[in-house]
Amino acid sequence: MSAGVSSAASAVSKEQNAHYTIALAGNPNVGKSTIFNGLTGLRQHTGNWSGKTVEPAWGQFRYREQIYTLVDIPGAYSLLTLSDDEKSARDYICFGGADLTVIVCDACCLERNLDLVLQILEASDNVLVAVNMIDEAPSRGVHLDLEVLSSELKVPVVALAARRKKGLPELKAAIASSLHSPSPPRPPSVIYSDPVEDALSVLTPALMEVLSGRLSARWTAIRLLEGSDSLISSINDFLGLTLEEQPSVSATLESALNILKSNGYDLLSLRRHVVSSIYSAASQINDKAVVKKESSRDTRQLKLDRFLTRPLTGVPVMLLLLAVIFFITMEGANFFSGYLQLAFDAAGMWLESGLTYLKAPHWLIGAAIDGIWRVLSWVTAVMLPPMAIFFPLFTLLEDLGYLPRVAFNLDEGFRRAGACGKQALTMCMGFGCNAAGVVGCRIIGSPRERIIAIVTNCFVPCNGRFPILTAMISMFLIAGGGLCGDISSALILTGFLVFSIAATLAASAFLSRTLLRGESSSMTLELPPFRRPKIGEILMRSFLDRTVFVLGRAAAVAAPAGLLIWIMANLAVDGRTLLSICTSALDPLGRFFGMDGVILGAFILGLPASETVIPIMIMAYTSGSTLVGAESTAALKELLLSHGWTWTTAICVLIFTLMHWPCSTTVITIKKETGSLKWTIISILLPTVFGLTLCGLISWIARIF
Amino acid sequence: MDLQVKLSDIPIGNPVTVCQVTGASDNARHLMDLGFTSGAIVRPLFAAAAGSPVAYSVRGSVLALRRSDSDLIFVYPCTGKGDRA
């Protein structure tokens, strides 16, 4: 994994100002990011599911006038691993050059965490164990003896409850003392069988000489004996030499392998022996340090889990939750949009009269008010509220631990489509932002299934596209307004979402029968315990984050887009404006697919940010006649109807919103994640072809009747 | 001990002890990383609507496996006493 190694190398240059670098490692979903945020004061995204962090994150904290750099590493179950995010974790832990590795463990399943602890103890010198979620242990019937644990592992152990911000000062103190007074050399944490130890004692001295302290000689020796190719090539990349070709190493490796062979070990049986030695060491330590009893909380969790996954209730509850979220989003958005529009209208008038008073030229007033201001106000007043409400609600479900249950319910569907069940998780991330969903696909181990998940991610509508859907639905598909209207809007939107999930499955199945032929392979999914979300904090934080994000995009993308459209609408060639030349050129194509040139043009110009599609459409329709202030839904509907919109047009726009090219950020991310132009182009074409085909079909049927 | 069966054939609710994990080494190793090691007690908790995946409690956590994965894990019924919880 050269990518992981190079990112680790670039890390070193980042850290020159700080004195010490500390890596935060551990199994997935043990609270590494929460500890990271607690120590650094940064806001790395947290959530209750495995695989949320796919890239190391850096932050700093200060303790007694000393600056420490902290690296939040993706979770891994083992250093001998399968998926890309785990490989990048392994590369950082083994080759990142951190001064100290803090291994975070979950107090409630310590035994499994100990496997990784023992593996890291083999690879690194300076290690500290942090047992997190210690507050949950008693209610789950777990009793830990941390002193026994510390003396068994021969490293310092700290207990903390990071979600409740408890134990963080103690952790800082322990980090400082581990760094300032390094622990004496430890005996090996895992002892293997006599022949293996004999082989190691032959190989280790030769390696010690070559490695000169850059890697643990014992750990490197085991990896060489095991013959794990990808890991050995990572080691060689890191060292900048080929270990097996060093004369002293190749000679001793030969004789070490002979010792193993004469004792009946081949590669496979050696690997099994290594793994089972680690696990039996882990369970012996666990037996000494942990007592576990059945608890009433486990029973309650199990009941909830059964309810959320039972055939009769699982899927209906999932749909109901979605519908409730949409309902709250729409109700809340209407409320806020109204006030925001009033404010923007007032400010716009004030701005216009101010500019007139200053005797600004006519074109400047036009560009500023009709161009920039109108698109800006649309994006903030109409698009922002639903996004700022939906996102925190969704984060609540994420924090509760519901997303893995969705993946559990949908796995069989994804398996039949030849894809990985974890694609349900990346799909859910796509509801927030498709670019984030594409990056999240690193949790999928099989390269084939990962490409499927990446290419089909934008089949689910991201946050920026939701408001287009809600606007279309409330204008054209719902008769009355009010509470009844909102409930039916929420239900219809849920229907469209189910449709988009079905389309994701269909597209995945299509890919695994054509371009990415293959059967779905292994899938293992951790179902973390449900945790009470920290409601206030999540609501405020993701609400504010989302607001800042959208406002930032509004300024960076929507405002220039507004200016561009205004210029196109006002620059005339041969008596026709540029905009009308473009839209009439697109018109036949648009009409064929049940839309028109303006709509198609708006989607093309909306490439940098989907939020701008509707405002661009309005500007194009109203260009020349600035009298229509299409800020309210009713006025907008009038405007659209006057430009020949029908019920069919609205349906086609809805379908096309769900399925067209991804926004430019997502396209760039896909290129980065796949490293392939071919898959980037396919990710643009596939949803577009799907969407246009459906729209064409709908408008053809509509023409018949 | 002589009555080894696949984990995928164990009905919901019955605790069993892992005997061994078979199959391609990477897959088997990953299952062991997740806690399915010989001697570990596994209990099938609940299944998805389609019958697969099934959620198992193992070594303090809950893990869902597809049938193709739980086919690789051989188990024998718990004797009750003497096994580690």
Short mmCIF file of all heavy atoms in Angstrom, two decimals, chain A residues 77-78 80 82 109 111-112 115 140 226 268 272 275 279 287 305-306 309 408 411-412 419 421 520-525 527, chain B residues 21 25-27 29-34 37 43 45-50 52-53 55 59-66 69 84:
data_model
loop_
_atom_site.label_atom_id
_atom_site.label_comp_id
_atom_site.label_asym_id
_atom_site.label_seq_id
_atom_site.Cartn_x
_atom_site.Cartn_y
_atom_site.Cartn_z
N TYR A 77 -9.36 -4.37 13.00
CA TYR A 77 -9.49 -5.51 13.89
C TYR A 77 -8.14 -6.19 14.07
O TYR A 77 -7.90 -6.86 15.05
CB TYR A 77 -10.50 -6.52 13.33
CG TYR A 77 -11.91 -6.04 13.39
CD1 TYR A 77 -12.60 -5.68 12.24
CD2 TYR A 77 -12.56 -5.93 14.61
CE1 TYR A 77 -13.90 -5.23 12.30
CE2 TYR A 77 -13.86 -5.47 14.68
CZ TYR A 77 -14.53 -5.13 13.52
OH TYR A 77 -15.80 -4.67 13.60
N SER A 78 -7.28 -6.02 13.10
CA SER A 78 -6.04 -6.76 13.10
C SER A 78 -5.03 -6.02 12.23
O SER A 78 -5.40 -5.22 11.38
CB SER A 78 -6.32 -8.16 12.55
OG SER A 78 -5.17 -8.72 11.99
N LEU A 80 -3.16 -7.65 10.22
CA LEU A 80 -2.94 -8.57 9.10
C LEU A 80 -4.24 -8.64 8.34
O LEU A 80 -5.01 -9.57 8.52
CB LEU A 80 -2.55 -9.94 9.65
CG LEU A 80 -1.48 -9.85 10.72
CD1 LEU A 80 -1.66 -10.88 11.79
CD2 LEU A 80 -0.12 -9.95 10.09
N LEU A 82 -7.62 -7.02 5.53
CA LEU A 82 -8.19 -7.09 4.20
C LEU A 82 -8.54 -5.76 3.55
O LEU A 82 -8.13 -5.49 2.44
CB LEU A 82 -9.48 -7.93 4.26
CG LEU A 82 -9.32 -9.42 4.58
CD1 LEU A 82 -10.67 -10.03 4.80
CD2 LEU A 82 -8.59 -10.11 3.45
N CYS A 109 -16.05 -5.25 25.27
CA CYS A 109 -15.58 -6.46 24.58
C CYS A 109 -14.06 -6.43 24.52
O CYS A 109 -13.46 -6.39 23.46
CB CYS A 109 -16.22 -6.68 23.23
SG CYS A 109 -16.30 -5.29 22.15
N GLU A 111 -11.82 -8.67 25.27
CA GLU A 111 -11.05 -9.81 24.78
C GLU A 111 -10.71 -9.66 23.31
O GLU A 111 -9.57 -9.86 22.90
CB GLU A 111 -11.83 -11.12 25.00
CG GLU A 111 -10.99 -12.32 24.60
CD GLU A 111 -11.71 -13.64 24.83
OE1 GLU A 111 -12.80 -13.64 25.40
OE2 GLU A 111 -11.16 -14.67 24.40
N ARG A 112 -11.71 -9.26 22.52
CA ARG A 112 -11.44 -9.12 21.10
C ARG A 112 -10.46 -7.98 20.84
O ARG A 112 -9.62 -8.04 19.95
CB ARG A 112 -12.73 -8.89 20.33
CG ARG A 112 -12.59 -9.25 18.88
CD ARG A 112 -13.72 -8.73 18.07
NE ARG A 112 -13.78 -7.29 18.17
CZ ARG A 112 -14.90 -6.61 17.98
NH1 ARG A 112 -16.00 -7.23 17.72
NH2 ARG A 112 -14.88 -5.30 18.06
N ASP A 115 -6.64 -8.80 21.07
CA ASP A 115 -5.93 -9.36 19.92
C ASP A 115 -5.09 -8.28 19.24
O ASP A 115 -3.92 -8.46 18.97
CB ASP A 115 -6.92 -9.92 18.88
CG ASP A 115 -7.82 -10.99 19.45
OD1 ASP A 115 -7.46 -11.54 20.50
OD2 ASP A 115 -8.88 -11.25 18.85
N ARG A 140 -23.51 -3.49 31.69
CA ARG A 140 -23.49 -4.64 30.78
C ARG A 140 -22.87 -5.87 31.45
O ARG A 140 -22.51 -6.83 30.78
CB ARG A 140 -22.75 -4.28 29.49
CG ARG A 140 -23.54 -3.23 28.69
CD ARG A 140 -22.89 -2.89 27.41
NE ARG A 140 -22.85 -4.04 26.52
CZ ARG A 140 -22.11 -4.08 25.42
NH1 ARG A 140 -21.36 -3.06 25.11
NH2 ARG A 140 -22.11 -5.14 24.65
N GLU A 226 6.15 -15.73 7.83
CA GLU A 226 4.77 -15.98 7.37
C GLU A 226 4.63 -15.79 5.87
O GLU A 226 3.66 -16.24 5.27
CB GLU A 226 3.82 -14.97 8.01
CG GLU A 226 3.34 -15.32 9.36
CD GLU A 226 2.23 -14.35 9.75
OE1 GLU A 226 2.35 -13.14 9.46
OE2 GLU A 226 1.26 -14.79 10.34
N LEU A 268 0.75 -22.01 5.60
CA LEU A 268 -0.60 -21.93 6.13
C LEU A 268 -0.64 -22.32 7.60
O LEU A 268 -1.24 -21.63 8.43
CB LEU A 268 -1.52 -22.84 5.30
CG LEU A 268 -3.01 -22.60 5.53
CD1 LEU A 268 -3.40 -21.22 5.04
CD2 LEU A 268 -3.82 -23.67 4.81
N ARG A 272 -1.71 -20.03 10.88
CA ARG A 272 -2.72 -20.45 11.85
C ARG A 272 -2.14 -20.45 13.25
O ARG A 272 -2.77 -20.02 14.21
CB ARG A 272 -3.21 -21.86 11.52
CG ARG A 272 -4.29 -21.86 10.48
CD ARG A 272 -4.81 -23.26 10.24
NE ARG A 272 -5.78 -23.23 9.18
CZ ARG A 272 -7.03 -22.83 9.34
NH1 ARG A 272 -7.45 -22.49 10.54
NH2 ARG A 272 -7.85 -22.78 8.33
N VAL A 275 -1.74 -16.82 14.52
CA VAL A 275 -3.02 -16.22 14.90
C VAL A 275 -3.55 -16.86 16.18
O VAL A 275 -3.93 -16.16 17.13
CB VAL A 275 -4.05 -16.40 13.76
CG1 VAL A 275 -5.40 -15.86 14.18
CG2 VAL A 275 -3.58 -15.69 12.52
N TYR A 279 -4.48 -15.22 19.88
CA TYR A 279 -5.80 -15.27 20.49
C TYR A 279 -5.80 -15.99 21.83
O TYR A 279 -6.50 -15.57 22.75
CB TYR A 279 -6.81 -15.92 19.54
CG TYR A 279 -7.00 -15.10 18.31
CD1 TYR A 279 -7.12 -15.66 17.07
CD2 TYR A 279 -7.02 -13.71 18.42
CE1 TYR A 279 -7.25 -14.89 15.94
CE2 TYR A 279 -7.14 -12.93 17.30
CZ TYR A 279 -7.26 -13.52 16.07
OH TYR A 279 -7.39 -12.75 14.97
N ASP A 287 -9.20 -13.63 30.80
CA ASP A 287 -9.71 -14.44 31.91
C ASP A 287 -9.23 -13.90 33.25
O ASP A 287 -9.96 -13.95 34.24
CB ASP A 287 -9.24 -15.89 31.77
CG ASP A 287 -10.02 -16.60 30.68
OD1 ASP A 287 -11.00 -16.01 30.21
OD2 ASP A 287 -9.63 -17.72 30.32
N ASP A 305 -33.16 -4.91 19.07
CA ASP A 305 -32.56 -5.39 17.84
C ASP A 305 -33.51 -6.31 17.10
O ASP A 305 -33.67 -6.21 15.88
CB ASP A 305 -31.27 -6.16 18.16
CG ASP A 305 -30.06 -5.40 17.67
OD1 ASP A 305 -30.20 -4.65 16.68
OD2 ASP A 305 -28.99 -5.54 18.27
N ARG A 306 -34.15 -7.23 17.83
CA ARG A 306 -35.08 -8.16 17.18
C ARG A 306 -36.23 -7.39 16.55
O ARG A 306 -36.65 -7.68 15.44
CB ARG A 306 -35.62 -9.17 18.20
CG ARG A 306 -34.57 -10.19 18.59
CD ARG A 306 -35.20 -11.51 19.02
NE ARG A 306 -34.15 -12.51 19.16
CZ ARG A 306 -33.88 -13.13 20.31
NH1 ARG A 306 -34.59 -12.89 21.39
NH2 ARG A 306 -32.91 -14.02 20.35
N THR A 309 -35.22 -5.72 13.28
CA THR A 309 -34.75 -6.55 12.18
C THR A 309 -35.72 -7.68 11.83
O THR A 309 -35.50 -8.41 10.89
CB THR A 309 -33.40 -7.20 12.52
OG1 THR A 309 -33.52 -7.88 13.76
CG2 THR A 309 -32.31 -6.16 12.65
N PHE A 408 -27.90 -4.43 7.85
CA PHE A 408 -28.28 -5.81 8.16
C PHE A 408 -29.56 -6.19 7.42
O PHE A 408 -29.64 -7.24 6.78
CB PHE A 408 -28.49 -5.91 9.68
CG PHE A 408 -28.82 -7.30 10.18
CD1 PHE A 408 -27.82 -8.23 10.37
CD2 PHE A 408 -30.12 -7.65 10.48
CE1 PHE A 408 -28.11 -9.50 10.84
CE2 PHE A 408 -30.43 -8.91 10.96
CZ PHE A 408 -29.41 -9.83 11.13
N ASP A 411 -28.91 -6.39 3.54
CA ASP A 411 -27.78 -7.16 3.02
C ASP A 411 -28.17 -8.19 1.98
O ASP A 411 -27.50 -8.34 0.96
CB ASP A 411 -27.02 -7.86 4.15
CG ASP A 411 -25.88 -8.70 3.63
OD1 ASP A 411 -24.95 -8.10 3.06
OD2 ASP A 411 -25.93 -9.94 3.75
N GLU A 412 -29.26 -8.90 2.22
CA GLU A 412 -29.64 -9.95 1.28
C GLU A 412 -29.91 -9.35 -0.10
O GLU A 412 -29.53 -9.92 -1.12
CB GLU A 412 -30.87 -10.71 1.81
CG GLU A 412 -31.33 -11.87 0.96
CD GLU A 412 -30.30 -13.01 0.83
OE1 GLU A 412 -29.30 -13.01 1.57
OE2 GLU A 412 -30.51 -13.88 -0.04
N ALA A 419 -23.43 -7.42 -4.61
CA ALA A 419 -22.68 -6.35 -3.95
C ALA A 419 -22.52 -6.65 -2.47
O ALA A 419 -23.01 -7.66 -1.97
CB ALA A 419 -23.40 -5.02 -4.13
N GLY A 421 -23.04 -5.91 1.58
CA GLY A 421 -24.05 -5.33 2.44
C GLY A 421 -23.62 -4.00 3.05
O GLY A 421 -24.46 -3.16 3.38
N SER A 520 -21.13 -12.08 -5.07
CA SER A 520 -20.79 -11.35 -3.86
C SER A 520 -20.06 -12.28 -2.90
O SER A 520 -20.39 -13.45 -2.76
CB SER A 520 -22.07 -10.85 -3.21
OG SER A 520 -21.74 -10.21 -2.02
N SER A 521 -19.03 -11.72 -2.25
CA SER A 521 -18.20 -12.59 -1.41
C SER A 521 -18.59 -12.45 0.05
O SER A 521 -19.75 -12.31 0.40
CB SER A 521 -16.74 -12.22 -1.61
OG SER A 521 -16.56 -10.87 -1.31
N SER A 522 -17.60 -12.45 0.88
CA SER A 522 -17.80 -12.44 2.32
C SER A 522 -18.30 -11.06 2.80
O SER A 522 -18.01 -10.04 2.19
CB SER A 522 -16.45 -12.78 2.94
OG SER A 522 -16.31 -12.23 4.19
N MET A 523 -19.07 -11.04 3.85
CA MET A 523 -19.51 -9.77 4.44
C MET A 523 -19.66 -9.97 5.93
O MET A 523 -20.42 -10.82 6.36
CB MET A 523 -20.84 -9.33 3.81
CG MET A 523 -21.23 -7.89 3.97
SD MET A 523 -21.80 -7.34 5.61
CE MET A 523 -23.17 -8.41 5.91
N THR A 524 -18.91 -9.23 6.70
CA THR A 524 -19.07 -9.30 8.14
C THR A 524 -19.37 -7.90 8.63
O THR A 524 -18.75 -6.95 8.21
CB THR A 524 -17.79 -9.80 8.83
OG1 THR A 524 -16.69 -9.04 8.33
CG2 THR A 524 -17.56 -11.26 8.55
N LEU A 525 -20.35 -7.79 9.49
CA LEU A 525 -20.84 -6.48 9.89
C LEU A 525 -20.99 -6.47 11.40
O LEU A 525 -21.62 -7.35 11.98
CB LEU A 525 -22.20 -6.26 9.23
CG LEU A 525 -22.97 -5.00 9.55
CD1 LEU A 525 -22.31 -3.82 8.86
CD2 LEU A 525 -24.40 -5.14 9.10
N LEU A 527 -22.63 -5.13 14.72
CA LEU A 527 -23.81 -4.40 15.18
C LEU A 527 -23.50 -3.84 16.57
O LEU A 527 -23.56 -4.58 17.56
CB LEU A 527 -25.03 -5.33 15.24
CG LEU A 527 -25.42 -6.01 13.92
CD1 LEU A 527 -26.56 -6.98 14.13
CD2 LEU A 527 -25.80 -4.99 12.87
N VAL B 21 -12.12 -22.77 12.20
CA VAL B 21 -12.57 -22.01 11.05
C VAL B 21 -11.84 -22.55 9.83
O VAL B 21 -10.61 -22.62 9.83
CB VAL B 21 -12.26 -20.51 11.23
CG1 VAL B 21 -12.79 -19.72 10.05
CG2 VAL B 21 -12.87 -19.99 12.51
N SER B 25 -7.41 -18.78 3.48
CA SER B 25 -6.79 -18.32 4.71
C SER B 25 -7.16 -16.87 5.07
O SER B 25 -7.33 -16.55 6.23
CB SER B 25 -5.28 -18.48 4.64
OG SER B 25 -4.77 -17.67 3.63
N ASP B 26 -7.27 -15.99 4.06
CA ASP B 26 -7.59 -14.59 4.37
C ASP B 26 -8.95 -14.45 5.03
O ASP B 26 -9.12 -13.74 6.01
CB ASP B 26 -7.57 -13.76 3.07
CG ASP B 26 -6.25 -13.01 2.93
OD1 ASP B 26 -5.39 -13.22 3.81
OD2 ASP B 26 -6.10 -12.26 1.96
N ASN B 27 -9.94 -15.16 4.44
CA ASN B 27 -11.29 -15.11 4.97
C ASN B 27 -11.36 -15.67 6.39
O ASN B 27 -11.96 -15.10 7.28
CB ASN B 27 -12.20 -15.95 4.09
CG ASN B 27 -13.19 -15.09 3.38
OD1 ASN B 27 -13.33 -13.92 3.74
ND2 ASN B 27 -13.87 -15.63 2.40
N ARG B 29 -8.96 -15.98 8.48
CA ARG B 29 -8.23 -15.12 9.40
C ARG B 29 -9.09 -13.93 9.82
O ARG B 29 -9.09 -13.52 10.97
CB ARG B 29 -6.96 -14.63 8.71
CG ARG B 29 -6.09 -13.88 9.65
CD ARG B 29 -4.69 -13.80 9.10
NE ARG B 29 -3.78 -13.66 10.20
CZ ARG B 29 -2.48 -13.79 10.09
NH1 ARG B 29 -1.93 -14.11 8.96
NH2 ARG B 29 -1.71 -13.62 11.13
N HIS B 30 -9.82 -13.37 8.84
CA HIS B 30 -10.67 -12.23 9.17
C HIS B 30 -11.75 -12.65 10.17
O HIS B 30 -12.02 -11.91 11.12
CB HIS B 30 -11.30 -11.68 7.89
CG HIS B 30 -12.02 -10.40 8.10
ND1 HIS B 30 -11.41 -9.29 8.64
CD2 HIS B 30 -13.30 -10.04 7.88
CE1 HIS B 30 -12.29 -8.31 8.74
NE2 HIS B 30 -13.45 -8.73 8.28
N LEU B 31 -12.32 -13.82 9.97
CA LEU B 31 -13.34 -14.30 10.92
C LEU B 31 -12.71 -14.48 12.30
O LEU B 31 -13.32 -14.16 13.32
CB LEU B 31 -13.94 -15.62 10.44
CG LEU B 31 -14.89 -15.49 9.25
CD1 LEU B 31 -15.29 -16.86 8.73
CD2 LEU B 31 -16.14 -14.71 9.66
N MET B 32 -11.46 -14.96 12.33
CA MET B 32 -10.79 -15.11 13.63
C MET B 32 -10.50 -13.75 14.24
O MET B 32 -10.64 -13.56 15.44
CB MET B 32 -9.51 -15.91 13.44
CG MET B 32 -9.78 -17.37 13.12
SD MET B 32 -8.33 -18.36 13.45
CE MET B 32 -7.77 -18.73 11.84
N ASP B 33 -10.10 -12.77 13.38
CA ASP B 33 -9.88 -11.40 13.88
C ASP B 33 -11.12 -10.89 14.59
O ASP B 33 -11.05 -10.11 15.53
CB ASP B 33 -9.59 -10.44 12.72
CG ASP B 33 -8.17 -10.61 12.19
OD1 ASP B 33 -7.36 -11.19 12.92
OD2 ASP B 33 -7.91 -10.17 11.06
N LEU B 34 -12.28 -11.28 14.05
CA LEU B 34 -13.53 -10.78 14.61
C LEU B 34 -13.92 -11.53 15.88
O LEU B 34 -14.89 -11.18 16.53
CB LEU B 34 -14.65 -10.91 13.57
CG LEU B 34 -14.50 -10.01 12.36
CD1 LEU B 34 -15.49 -10.39 11.29
CD2 LEU B 34 -14.69 -8.56 12.75
N THR B 37 -12.75 -17.67 17.30
CA THR B 37 -11.56 -18.49 17.48
C THR B 37 -11.96 -19.76 18.23
O THR B 37 -12.96 -19.77 18.95
CB THR B 37 -10.51 -17.74 18.28
OG1 THR B 37 -11.13 -17.20 19.44
CG2 THR B 37 -9.92 -16.62 17.48
N ARG B 43 -23.38 -17.34 20.15
CA ARG B 43 -24.82 -17.57 20.23
C ARG B 43 -25.51 -16.85 19.08
O ARG B 43 -25.33 -15.63 18.92
CB ARG B 43 -25.36 -17.03 21.56
CG ARG B 43 -26.77 -17.50 21.86
CD ARG B 43 -27.03 -17.51 23.36
NE ARG B 43 -27.12 -16.16 23.88
CZ ARG B 43 -28.28 -15.55 24.16
NH1 ARG B 43 -29.40 -16.19 23.98
NH2 ARG B 43 -28.29 -14.34 24.65
N LEU B 45 -28.24 -14.81 17.54
CA LEU B 45 -29.23 -13.97 18.22
C LEU B 45 -30.49 -13.75 17.41
O LEU B 45 -31.59 -13.93 17.90
CB LEU B 45 -28.61 -12.60 18.55
CG LEU B 45 -27.42 -12.60 19.49
CD1 LEU B 45 -26.89 -11.19 19.65
CD2 LEU B 45 -27.81 -13.16 20.85
N PHE B 46 -30.33 -13.34 16.16
CA PHE B 46 -31.51 -13.11 15.32
C PHE B 46 -31.07 -13.10 13.86
O PHE B 46 -29.90 -12.88 13.57
CB PHE B 46 -32.22 -11.79 15.68
CG PHE B 46 -31.31 -10.61 15.76
CD1 PHE B 46 -31.07 -9.81 14.66
CD2 PHE B 46 -30.69 -10.27 16.97
CE1 PHE B 46 -30.23 -8.72 14.74
CE2 PHE B 46 -29.84 -9.18 17.06
CZ PHE B 46 -29.62 -8.40 15.94
N ALA B 47 -32.04 -13.36 12.99
CA ALA B 47 -31.73 -13.41 11.56
C ALA B 47 -32.49 -12.30 10.84
O ALA B 47 -33.51 -11.82 11.31
CB ALA B 47 -32.13 -14.77 10.99
N ALA B 48 -31.97 -11.88 9.69
CA ALA B 48 -32.68 -10.90 8.87
C ALA B 48 -33.87 -11.58 8.21
O ALA B 48 -33.97 -12.81 8.21
CB ALA B 48 -31.75 -10.31 7.83
N ALA B 49 -34.76 -10.77 7.64
CA ALA B 49 -35.99 -11.29 7.07
C ALA B 49 -35.74 -12.43 6.09
O ALA B 49 -36.47 -13.42 6.06
CB ALA B 49 -36.75 -10.16 6.38
N ALA B 50 -34.67 -12.31 5.31
CA ALA B 50 -34.41 -13.32 4.27
C ALA B 50 -33.70 -14.55 4.82
O ALA B 50 -33.39 -15.46 4.08
CB ALA B 50 -33.59 -12.70 3.16
N SER B 52 -30.71 -14.61 5.97
CA SER B 52 -29.30 -14.27 6.00
C SER B 52 -29.20 -12.75 5.86
O SER B 52 -29.97 -12.17 5.11
CB SER B 52 -28.56 -14.95 4.85
OG SER B 52 -27.30 -14.36 4.64
N PRO B 53 -28.32 -12.06 6.51
CA PRO B 53 -27.35 -12.55 7.49
C PRO B 53 -27.98 -12.91 8.85
O PRO B 53 -29.15 -12.61 9.07
CB PRO B 53 -26.41 -11.36 7.64
CG PRO B 53 -27.22 -10.18 7.27
CD PRO B 53 -28.21 -10.64 6.27
N ALA B 55 -27.21 -12.53 13.09
CA ALA B 55 -26.38 -11.84 14.07
C ALA B 55 -25.96 -12.81 15.16
O ALA B 55 -26.80 -13.59 15.65
CB ALA B 55 -27.15 -10.67 14.67
N ARG B 59 -17.72 -13.12 22.04
CA ARG B 59 -16.71 -12.41 22.82
C ARG B 59 -17.12 -10.96 23.10
O ARG B 59 -16.33 -10.04 22.90
CB ARG B 59 -15.37 -12.44 22.09
CG ARG B 59 -14.81 -13.84 21.99
CD ARG B 59 -13.63 -13.89 21.08
NE ARG B 59 -12.38 -13.73 21.78
CZ ARG B 59 -11.21 -13.61 21.18
NH1 ARG B 59 -11.12 -13.60 19.88
NH2 ARG B 59 -10.11 -13.50 21.87
N GLY B 60 -18.37 -10.78 23.51
CA GLY B 60 -18.80 -9.45 23.97
C GLY B 60 -19.31 -8.52 22.90
O GLY B 60 -19.75 -7.42 23.20
N SER B 61 -19.25 -8.92 21.62
CA SER B 61 -19.82 -8.03 20.61
C SER B 61 -20.83 -8.79 19.76
O SER B 61 -20.94 -10.01 19.86
CB SER B 61 -18.72 -7.44 19.73
OG SER B 61 -17.99 -8.47 19.14
N VAL B 62 -21.58 -8.05 18.95
CA VAL B 62 -22.58 -8.66 18.08
C VAL B 62 -22.12 -8.50 16.64
O VAL B 62 -21.87 -7.39 16.19
CB VAL B 62 -23.96 -8.01 18.28
CG1 VAL B 62 -24.98 -8.64 17.33
CG2 VAL B 62 -24.42 -8.16 19.72
N LEU B 63 -22.01 -9.61 15.93
CA LEU B 63 -21.51 -9.58 14.56
C LEU B 63 -22.48 -10.29 13.64
O LEU B 63 -23.00 -11.35 13.99
CB LEU B 63 -20.16 -10.27 14.48
CG LEU B 63 -19.02 -9.50 15.13
CD1 LEU B 63 -17.90 -10.42 15.51
CD2 LEU B 63 -18.55 -8.43 14.17
N ALA B 64 -22.73 -9.69 12.48
CA ALA B 64 -23.62 -10.31 11.50
C ALA B 64 -22.76 -10.99 10.44
O ALA B 64 -21.82 -10.40 9.93
CB ALA B 64 -24.52 -9.26 10.88
N LEU B 65 -23.10 -12.24 10.13
CA LEU B 65 -22.38 -12.98 9.10
C LEU B 65 -23.36 -13.47 8.05
O LEU B 65 -24.48 -13.86 8.37
CB LEU B 65 -21.67 -14.21 9.69
CG LEU B 65 -20.66 -14.03 10.80
CD1 LEU B 65 -20.01 -15.37 11.09
CD2 LEU B 65 -19.61 -13.02 10.41
N ARG B 66 -22.91 -13.47 6.81
CA ARG B 66 -23.70 -14.10 5.76
C ARG B 66 -23.56 -15.61 5.90
O ARG B 66 -22.59 -16.10 6.47
CB ARG B 66 -23.18 -13.68 4.40
CG ARG B 66 -23.64 -12.32 3.97
CD ARG B 66 -23.12 -12.02 2.59
NE ARG B 66 -23.58 -10.71 2.15
CZ ARG B 66 -23.13 -10.11 1.05
NH1 ARG B 66 -22.22 -10.70 0.31
NH2 ARG B 66 -23.60 -8.94 0.70
N ASP B 69 -20.31 -17.17 5.02
CA ASP B 69 -19.24 -17.05 6.01
C ASP B 69 -19.45 -17.98 7.20
O ASP B 69 -18.50 -18.60 7.68
CB ASP B 69 -19.12 -15.61 6.51
CG ASP B 69 -18.59 -14.69 5.43
OD1 ASP B 69 -17.53 -15.00 4.88
OD2 ASP B 69 -19.26 -13.68 5.13
N ARG B 84 -15.75 -21.29 28.66
CA ARG B 84 -15.63 -19.89 29.04
C ARG B 84 -16.80 -19.09 28.49
O ARG B 84 -17.26 -19.35 27.39
CB ARG B 84 -14.33 -19.29 28.50
CG ARG B 84 -13.12 -19.76 29.24
CD ARG B 84 -11.89 -19.08 28.70
NE ARG B 84 -11.80 -19.23 27.25
CZ ARG B 84 -12.09 -18.28 26.40
NH1 ARG B 84 -12.50 -17.11 26.83
NH2 ARG B 84 -11.95 -18.48 25.12
#
